[in-house]
Amino acid sequence: MQHRFSLKGEDVDVALVRKNGGLSYQGHSVTVDARGRLKLTLADGSSCTAHAAKVGDVWWVHMQGRTFALERIEPGASSQDHGDGLVAPMPGKILETLVKAGDTVEAGQPMMVLEAMKMEHRIVAAHAGTVVAVHFQSGDQVNQGAVLLELEDTN
Amino acid sequence: MQHRFSLKGEDVDVALVRKNGGLSYQGHSVTVDARGRLKLTLADGSSCTAHAAKVGDVWWVHMQGRTFALERIEPGASSQDHGDGLVAPMPGKILETLVKAGDTVEAGQPMMVLEAMKMEHRIVAAHAGTVVAVHFQSGDQVNQGAVLLELEDTN
Amino acid sequence: MEKVLVANRGEIACRVLRACREAGIQTVAICAANDAGSMFPELADEVVMLQGDTIAETYLNQSQLLEAARSTGAQAIHPGFGFLSERADFAQAVLDAGLIWIGPSPHAIEKMGDKMTARKTMKAAGVPVIPGEEIELEDEAAALSALEEAAQRVGYPLLLKASSGGGGKGMRAVTEPSGFAEAAAGARREAIAAFGDGRIYIERLLTGSKHIEIQIIADRTGHTVHLGERECSVQRRHQKVFEEAPGPTMTPAIREAMGEAAVAAAKAVDYEGAGTVEFLLAPNGEFFFLEMNTRIQVEHPVTEMVTGVDIVREQLRIAAGEPMSCGTVQMRGHAIEVRLYAEDPANGFLPSIGPLAVFCPPEGPGIRLDTGVREGDDVTPNYDPMLAKLIVWAPSRVEALERMRRALDEFVVLGTTTNVAFLRDLCDNEDVVSGSTTTTTIDDTWPQGWSPVEHEALTQAALLSAAAGETLGLHRPSRSGPSSADGPSSPFSTLSRRFP
Amino acid sequence: MEKVLVANRGEIACRVLRACREAGIQTVAICAANDAGSMFPELADEVVMLQGDTIAETYLNQSQLLEAARSTGAQAIHPGFGFLSERADFAQAVLDAGLIWIGPSPHAIEKMGDKMTARKTMKAAGVPVIPGEEIELEDEAAALSALEEAAQRVGYPLLLKASSGGGGKGMRAVTEPSGFAEAAAGARREAIAAFGDGRIYIERLLTGSKHIEIQIIADRTGHTVHLGERECSVQRRHQKVFEEAPGPTMTPAIREAMGEAAVAAAKAVDYEGAGTVEFLLAPNGEFFFLEMNTRIQVEHPVTEMVTGVDIVREQLRIAAGEPMSCGTVQMRGHAIEVRLYAEDPANGFLPSIGPLAVFCPPEGPGIRLDTGVREGDDVTPNYDPMLAKLIVWAPSRVEALERMRRALDEFVVLGTTTNVAFLRDLCDNEDVVSGSTTTTTIDDTWPQGWSPVEHEALTQAALLSAAAGETLGLHRPSRSGPSSADGPSSPFSTLSRRFP
């Protein structure tokens, strides 16, 4: 019973141990009631209830006023496998493209402006590099998940 | 697309007709959106949303502040098939049995007293008849659905 | 007072646990095995599971509760209502264990909890009481025959009440001598089962009267104030279902007189904490003391809504030795509470059970919901069938009724029969609309019992909905999950908002 | 006024539709195709589906809305906030069509909606205004160069605002000349996109000030009253997120002076209905007129909670020609509203989308939820990412904050990233706790952006929960249906309750 989750870009392996009719990990344990509700006992002895729902590959967990979104990584895969394609996080319209293929960019440099949720969003380079391709132009509608442009690391 | 429901002890056959992308019956029509929500247009032109959930064989439907519980009858069956066994509507404890096998009872005559939900409930004869069997005695715990006693119609 | 044990379950446990959390007080819930999936233990910092199957073995088991307080280090016990809330012996045991009892002293509970003593106290305070007698005999036969004799002295119609009762349990109205014997036996049996105490009190049944009660609060600094009245006349079989504040026909003069009487009653027993003094208000303006409830009341929210006082929070303050925080109390607007029960109003209000497949309360301005259940819970026969209290507030009574109608129309409960449609009908009842309800309004309006008005088109539409659901397989689980199969958005780290 | 068309969507449409239902008024909702599954059309008696894909083609399309009113026989239009609510031309078109406009006259909207005219009006009323200028030029290049010049006169730091804007759209703060050109171009583009109007207003940015606004109501009988103030200083990028009434540092003297100024402003334009006059309150007690919003405001509930006035209901009354029902207004207790957004506060408040797989708001005393969504809905990029307004009331500010903390801790939203944790952190923020917030509190507190405090044990417990869910298959649909497979109880016709 080992599962891998992506937490803030890092992969975490969670190995569960069966214990007293529940499952435990790092000294914390959980039981599940007939309705699928999670009752937790933390390592410090405190207890609480968690709400959990899976959407796509992501487990959403709420406990003690906090919400966690934990992406489950299929066995063998890694969350580090994402390429350097810059992906539209939501559907929208391209307002401006500020770079073209072959341009070199600094970390933080704006490359594209996307309109979505009635707001303008600026897509900036996460690191210095060379623009390999720009897939959309001003006025184009883009779907969520569309690769907007591709950036190659300078190193 | 014909379904049979039990409504106040009577069987009603509902024959659906496909119409304009929805289903209709008696001049009323319904469409279902991607989330399974029912949008109704009544014969008088008014429209509303219904909430529906099936529990066991019963469809629960809420619309315009009213709630309906409609038992679906399997094709070929009838809701009139219930025998004359008097069934415990909820788990509880028998407090008193007021009749014994062989007694004749009048309509409305109390036959048994059941304690449940912190209250006493009196089981009365729905019609005049003869008590055929009494299956429980004072102090017995009964489960929901248990046949408490059997009554034969005098006719 | 840093940690409180809440010796109750369901809706009122939730109410108290939340008040403690807001006050920064740690909480302990006690929980029977068949309540493990309920909402209230989730609202507590710690949960102690109780041993035993019956209520007597769990929520009424004083030694288990005291042990739970001891083992968790709780310094105080809040009893809620029902269960042990009006048991002077339990209050005393709590004090003897060195704990704080969040409620009045055992002495006050005893004086007021016992209906005969309470009557004497009120008489001494100059408040008229209803003619009546109490029968204390333990022996079944002797008690029944003494009751029969007392009934003849009190006169018919009369009311049988469990001396240590409440909530309509062990209570029966008897209109003529022929029905007395069976009613007395049943009342006694129910009283013993529910309260372990077979004492029965008989009083004259005053028809055409209103049930009006005064909320009082008293702290240890010598302050005792009343928070105005609630009218709870609308009752079905002595169970309140519709409560409001202020009373629609109340006059400032009667309010002042009743308020004074209530405060005097509280002072007479050195009352501490929150309590309620109940009166019958006759059509001629005379009022009679009924009883005092020495605990928080089910219908306390309507008073909270019109006065702005958080009564449970004040209970915590007072128990901790602080003065009450409410100064001069002013009523504003109008509040109505209805009690949502799992019961079938079209069938003699028989309690119902089942899953809460859908439980979707109304939302928006002026609406408060106090509940101990949520969608997915099962309604079981183990406990009282009250699912929730729906409370509305509006600037005027007319608007409050309008809001209640809207709220009830929006309230969707599927899977278990409830009284929502009955409550909705109540809002259109002539006496309710005019405010001229009495304790017999429900019986007078529906002498043959209530049943919903037929509406052929809606019934057909419901059949259509069910048939469509069946045809399209809406009940299959695959349709009930989250609507979107999409994963969440990819990490947003490459995006930032553009302005300012 | 028997039938009202609500020319809006989402949460405010729900608010108005419910108010109409309570008032016994028939309702018409308008609805874009991508809103067909939303909650608000379900609350209307009739729904008119709008043609078109964009907001301009649907909710901003005046002729479609007027045609919807005509075809359904609606006699009045309520514009809500945003969209066409402050468009004088639309108000005029509504009146020209022989309908009632639920709001002030087109003249008043124009006078107050236009920031320059409003400034002149307020100057004439003797209320100080913030130094600033407006640029009206249509030509892009000319406008940008005129803006640049004006900026030099006004001085830095300054604020760019869309003249016909609101809600932070088209607004940018510029601290030094080097950032001006890009900011001005962006503000203008956004203003044109959002409001079809590229006029930009520049004003001096007053740091360290509080945002205080006065709610006013005026009816046709000549009554104009104010309902006290709201403080809305806590803003992230000019978007209010935390609003309260009364203002925690407000004095009776300032309230009276501001209230008088607000009433004077309303009277100066023969104002009718509900409106809000916004002020900046400097640390020295001086206040400056900011603008007047000639419509219902997002944060109106906090005023409703402390004054007991149902502002939307009053709008309906006033539009129908009746006098307002609220007499002498008195504030009681303290109310706080937070805006729950689908956004990622740890990532520059980037709007998020996704399904509301779980949407479980808090319950209990003193809590109000105004929302347009429910569990199972999808958050899409089509509209504003505000999911709900959570409003609490309590007798004191301290208790209101305690209640808000409790309510936010209980609020469960799964499937879409929200700002709940950020709002919860706000409740512990030193300035929020002391009431000394200013319009720059958020930026000052989290200059590098907000991120949640790490809590290793909870993170591990969350991982455990997810892993357990995966192992036990909790995500499989068969687990999410109603918990009981039992059918309902058999018919109860043979049973009746025993007492009384």
Side-chain angles (χ1 to χ4, degrees), chain C residues 93-180:
Chain C
V94 168
L95 297 178
D96 291 347
L99 304 174
I100 298 171
W101 168 252
I102 303 180
S105 68
H107 170 77
I109 297 176
E110 213 168 321
K111 280 255 186 186
M112 283 302 185
D114 185 277
K115 291 189 176 29
M116 290 310 292
T117 317
R119 279 165 57 84
K120 283 174 206 147
T121 311
M122 289 310 282
K123 265 185 175 165
V127 179
V129 297
I130 302 171
E133 292 188 31
E134 189 185 47
I135 305 303
E136 303 205 29
L137 298 167
E138 292 238 344
D139 177 70
E140 171 94 17
L144 290 178
S145 108
L147 279 166
E148 192 107 39
E149 285 166 30
Q152 283 167 22
R153 287 189 295 272
V154 169
Y156 290 86
L158 57 76
L159 212 50
L160 295 163
K161 291 177 170 181
S163 289
S164 48
K169 291 184 181 94
M171 190 182 283
R172 278 169 177 71
V174 189
T175 51
E176 46 185 300
S178 69
F180 186 82

Side-chain angles (χ1 to χ4, degrees), chain A residues 55 58 60 69 88-92 114 116-118 121 142-145, chain C residues 484 486-490 492, chain D residues 341-344 349-357 377-385 387 413-418:
Chain A
V55 178
V58 175
W60 294 78
M90 60 189 72
L114 176 75
M117 309 285 269
K118 317 285 138 253
H121 310 284
V142 295
N143 289 325
Q144 178 182 359
Chain C
S484 165
D486 300 339
S489 317
S490 61
F492 296 147
Chain D
Y341 283 100
E343 65 182 16
D344 186 357
F349 297 100
L350 188 84
S352 53
I353 58 175
L356 296 172
D377 282 2
D378 284 314
V379 180
T380 70
N382 300 317
Y383 301 104
D384 191 81
L387 296 178
V413 183
L414 302 183
T416 300
T417 303
T418 73

Side-chain angles (χ1 to χ4, degrees), chain B residues 8 16-17 20 31-32 38 41 48 54 56 60-61 63 66 80 92 104 118 120 124 152:
Chain B
K8 292 180 208 192
L16 298 179
V17 179
N20 303 332
T31 58
V32 178
L38 298 156
T41 306
C48 63
K54 193 176 186 185
W60 293 78
V61 179
M63 63 172 80
R66 282 160 185 267
Q80 317 297 320
T104 56
K118 315 287 138 249
E120 293 187 3
V124 301
E152 199 173 78

Side-chain angles (χ1 to χ4, degrees), chain C residues 18 22 189 306 308 310 313 317 330 332 350 371 399 402-403 406 410 483 492 497-498, chain D residues 18 22 189 306 310 313 317 330 332 349-350 363 376 393 399 402-403 406 410 492 498:
Chain C
R18 284 177 166 137
E22 291 176 10
R189 189 165 50 222
V306 295
D310 183 335
R313 187 76 188 261
R317 265 195 198 98
Q330 224 181 336
R332 183 164 84 184
L350 188 84
T371 184
E399 288 162 297
E402 288 166 352
R403 182 159 284 170
R406 191 270 288 175
E410 281 186 23
S483 59
F492 296 147
R497 215 167 194 173
R498 201 178 189 192
Chain D
R18 283 177 166 138
E22 291 177 10
R189 189 165 50 222
V306 295
D310 183 336
R313 187 76 188 262
R317 266 194 197 98
Q330 222 181 337
R332 184 165 84 184
F349 297 100
L350 188 84
E363 286 167 350
W393 181 93
E399 289 162 297
E402 288 166 351
R403 183 158 284 170
R406 191 270 287 175
E410 282 187 22
F492 294 149
R498 199 179 191 190

Side-chain angles (χ1 to χ4, degrees), chain C residues 220-252:
Chain C
R220 287 189 207 155
T221 70
H223 269 89
T224 302
V225 301
H226 75 86
L227 304 181
E229 80 283 3
R230 297 185 282 262
E231 170 159 357
C232 319
S233 299
V234 184
Q235 305 179 356
R236 58 152 190 73
R237 302 174 182 188
H238 307 287
Q239 180 77 60
K240 298 165 186 169
V241 289
F242 182 104
E243 296 125 334
E244 59 186 314
T249 61
M250 198 66 171
T251 64

Side-chain angles (χ1 to χ4, degrees), chain A residues 69-93:
Chain A
L70 304 163
E71 189 185 1
R72 178 165 182 258
I73 310 298
E74 287 296 320
S78 157
S79 65
Q80 318 296 321
D81 291 348
H82 299 319
D84 233 355
L86 289 157
V87 164
M90 60 189 72
K93 193 170 96 180

